[in-house]
């Protein structure tokens, strides 16, 4: 038996997530469709992708976590719509919901409000290749959004590093 302190294995560090504002800015960066803030959504709807106008409306006055969760799901709808000629919100709602969950997990946004109790019912009748196809839709939507976010966050880190290097050289 060994104590972990006696080993030389690298210690797993907790991931460092960007602050709420930066996370939302990264989510919106290079969005394939326009995103606006509005007051016209029904009370229970935080954001809505509108395929006919190819735009997203976000409810005014939401907290950062709610904005990220809702916007991630609606951006996933937009990504799915771009990739499928047969797009129907009701048909792809589950995939967009799961893609939003993946993005929240990846970027440190609270996921306690997500519910997956009925997943078994949804998938039990499907053949393995159809389940794989559903999972691919989720993964692709989350990946495309995540890739855009990482690009923006990397550019921001690079700019901060350059500013830090400049300030270090002027203080010498």
């Amino acid at each position: 038996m060994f104590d972990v302190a006696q080993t030389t294995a690298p210690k797993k560090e907790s991931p460092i997530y960007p602050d709420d504002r930066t996370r939302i800015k990264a989510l919106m960066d290079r969005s394939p469709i326009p995103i606006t803030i509005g007051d016209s959504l029904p009370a229970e709807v935080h954001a809505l992708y509108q395929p006919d106008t190819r735009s997203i409306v976000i409810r005014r006055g939401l907290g950062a976590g709610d904005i990220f969760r809702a916007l991630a799901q609606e951006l996933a709808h937009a990504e799915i719509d771009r990739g499928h000629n047969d797009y129907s919100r009701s048909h792809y709602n589950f995939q967009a919901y799961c893609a939003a969950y993946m993005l929240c997990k990846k970027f440190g946004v609270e996921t306690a409000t997500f519910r997956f109790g009925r997943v078994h019912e949804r998938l039990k009748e499907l053949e393995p290749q159809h389940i794989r196809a559903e999972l691919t839709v989720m993964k692709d939507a989350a990946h495309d959004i995540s890739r855009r976010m990482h690009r923006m966050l990397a550019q921001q880190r690079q700019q901060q590093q350059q500013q830090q290097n400049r300030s270090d050289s002027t203080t010498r």
Side-chain angles (χ1 to χ4, degrees):
M1 300 289 285
F2 292 94
D3 183 272
V4 74
Q6 296 173 308
T7 67
T8 59
K11 293 174 180 54
K12 186 175 181 181
E13 295 181 23
S14 297
I16 299 172
Y17 299 113
D19 62 66
D20 291 339
R21 183 182 182 94
T22 304
R23 212 177 357 229
I24 292 169
K25 189 176 175 184
L27 186 61
M28 295 174 69
D29 188 63
R30 296 188 183 153
S31 169
I33 59 171
I35 300 169
T36 58
I37 296 172
D39 299 315
S40 61
L41 295 175
E44 68 281 355
V45 177
H46 291 333
L48 183 63
Y49 168 63
Q50 299 167 320
D52 54 330
T53 59
R54 298 226 4 102
S55 64
I56 294 175
V57 178
I58 304 172
R59 172 182 294 294
R60 185 182 316 278
L62 296 175
D66 289 334
I67 291 171
F68 190 95
R69 283 184 292 274
L71 185 54
Q73 184 170 347
E74 298 311 306
L75 280 169
H77 273 289
E79 288 293 338
I80 293 167
D81 187 12
R82 267 190 351 172
H84 294 83
N85 294 333
D86 64 340
Y87 174 78
S88 153
R89 182 177 185 88
S90 60
H91 180 76
Y92 289 106
N93 204 37
F94 177 69
Q95 292 90 333
Y97 185 78
C98 291
Y101 174 81
M102 289 185 263
L103 290 164
C104 288
K105 286 299 270 189
K106 184 170 190 163
F107 290 97
V109 176
E110 178 62 46
T111 58
T113 58
F114 285 89
R115 299 286 178 253
F116 294 100
R118 295 176 45 199
V119 172
H120 177 70
E121 292 173 24
R122 178 173 172 76
L123 300 178
K124 73 179 179 183
E125 300 296 322
L126 296 179
E127 294 295 321
Q129 65 268 25
H130 289 114
I131 293 172
R132 197 171 311 116
E134 296 235 345
L135 294 173
T136 299
V137 169
M138 296 170 203
K139 178 190 68 81
D140 289 349
H143 176 75
D144 291 346
I145 296 166
S146 177
R147 189 177 66 238
R148 283 196 310 268
M149 290 180 71
H150 278 298
R151 189 177 306 135
M152 182 270 193
L153 293 170
Q155 287 173 344
Q156 186 179 41
R157 276 192 300 274
Q158 184 179 19
Q159 289 170 352
Q160 289 171 343
Q161 186 64 40
Q162 289 171 348
Q163 289 173 351
Q164 181 66 38
N165 291 343
R166 282 194 295 268
S167 68
D168 287 349
S169 65
T170 58
T171 58
R172 291 182 191 152

